[in-house]
Amino acid sequence: MILRSPQGDTGRPPRGRNPLLRVARPESPGRDPGLEDRGRLRRLVGDSATRLFWASVLLLATNLIWILAVALNLLGPLGPLSAGVLGWVALSADLPGVALLAAAYAGLTREQERTSNRLRSAIVWGFVGWVVLSAYWRFLLPLTTGTDVQDLFAGLLGANPGTLALAKKAWASVEEIFVAWIAAAGLFFVLHLLIAIDYRRASDMEWVKGVPAYAWLLGTGLSFVSTILIVAALLPVLGGGFLGSTFVGGAIGKLLVAPNILLSGYVSSLQLGRAAIAAKRKAGRG
């Protein structure tokens, strides 16, 4: 009687099994490549508190730069720094700052495992729209007049007769810039009104409960009104008249008072973001 091995002939693979499958082992059922990719992306851009922190850093710097630009405009350039250079930096720095603020609110909704939150979705997409609209009137629309936005305003204020002539020739584009500027300022104010409403509704466990909602609302509201005053003063110049009497009040509100209010607000939100990051790290270690 011949005894056979339970596995059969050792020279052949067991029936029903392919030896090639031993080379390429399947992924562990606990690993999901999609989840790993999302995890890497989350580590790259941070959680909602980290986004709030960096958004506050950029927006704080933007308002501080506007104040310094006004000072250099009165005192003159300081080495390579001039009011014009700082103006371009400020016109660019707040765009990624607001985009990060939108990402912070979007991330907070996901972290709270909410399927939908219409108010926060409106805040997120409103900020995205503000970034697009602001980039449009600051950088793209002025190209239709043959100049940039800073030279355009300098011309309207009488510092550059050549640019003023270009502005008068392209008056329809300049008016479109004014309309888009007012619309962007109004949208920014409305979004911070929604933030104030969300602040009132937020739970004590969310960092939203600590945002300086009313300081932001006051600063953006004043900035909106100041924008209207500046445009109302510049329109007569575009038509061949004199600068309106509302310009000084609008410029002071837009470039000095509103930035100082927002400056204090972004200092608070920066500290809030830092505290939220520290609390999350502590909870992770615990």
Side-chain angles (χ1 to χ4, degrees):
M1 182 176 180
I2 301 175
L3 296 177
R4 294 180 180 269
S5 170
Q7 294 180 353
D9 189 353
T10 58
R12 292 182 303 169
R15 182 177 298 179
R17 296 180 66 182
N18 189 339
L20 296 178
L21 294 179
R22 299 181 184 180
V23 177
R25 295 183 179 179
E27 292 288 338
S28 169
R31 295 178 62 187
D32 185 339
L35 290 176
E36 290 180 357
D37 291 340
R38 287 193 291 272
R40 283 192 291 267
L41 179 61
R42 189 176 295 110
R43 287 192 295 271
L44 180 64
V45 298
D47 56 16
S48 64
T50 304
R51 297 169 194 172
L52 173 69
F53 173 81
W54 288 112
S56 301
V57 168
L58 286 172
L59 295 171
L60 174 66
T62 298
N63 286 276
L64 183 59
I65 288 169
W66 276 124
I67 296 171
L68 293 175
V70 172
L72 290 184
N73 191 54
L74 297 174
L75 302 175
L78 183 61
L81 292 179
S82 65
V85 170
L86 291 180
W88 282 122
V89 174
L91 286 170
S92 304
D94 63 346
L95 299 180
V98 172
L100 278 171
L101 192 57
Y105 273 87
L108 181 63
T109 301
R110 288 193 296 270
E111 290 168 6
Q112 297 298 321
E113 298 181 351
R114 297 183 180 182
T115 55
S116 64
N117 186 316
R118 292 182 180 180
L119 182 59
R120 288 183 184 167
S121 294
I123 292 171
V124 170
W125 289 110
F127 278 139
V128 172
W130 180 90
V131 170
V132 174
L133 181 59
S134 296
Y136 176 63
W137 78 260
R138 293 176 185 180
F139 304 112
L140 297 181
L141 265 181
L143 296 177
T144 62
T145 67
T147 183
D148 59 61
V149 69
Q150 288 206 65
D151 286 342
L152 178 63
F153 277 93
L156 291 172
L157 293 174
N160 191 331
T163 306
L164 178 58
L166 289 174
K168 289 180 179 179
K169 189 180 297 184
W171 62 269
S173 296
V174 177
E175 287 188 348
E176 189 177 352
I177 291 172
F178 287 161
V179 170
W181 186 23
I182 292 174
L187 175 60
F188 209 49
F189 170 66
V190 170
L191 291 173
H192 282 83
L193 179 61
L194 296 181
I195 286 177
I197 295 172
D198 185 55
Y199 161 80
R200 301 270 300 182
R201 296 178 178 179
S203 70
D204 293 335
M205 301 301 294
E206 299 175 314
W207 54 254
V208 172
K209 199 64 176 178
V211 299
Y214 298 124
W216 285 352
L217 186 62
L218 178 60
T220 55
L222 180 58
S223 179
F224 177 41
V225 173
S226 299
T227 302
I228 296 174
L229 294 178
I230 292 172
V231 170
L234 293 176
L235 282 175
V237 179
L238 192 60
F242 296 100
L243 186 67
S245 59
T246 59
F247 179 79
V248 174
I252 292 174
K254 186 75 174 179
L255 298 175
L256 286 177
V257 182
N260 273 286
I261 295 173
L262 292 171
L263 204 65
S264 64
Y266 292 129
V267 168
S268 297
S269 61
L270 187 151
Q271 293 172 343
L272 172 66
R274 182 185 297 167
I277 293 170
K280 189 166 185 177
R281 288 175 178 171
K282 185 177 180 180
R285 287 194 299 267

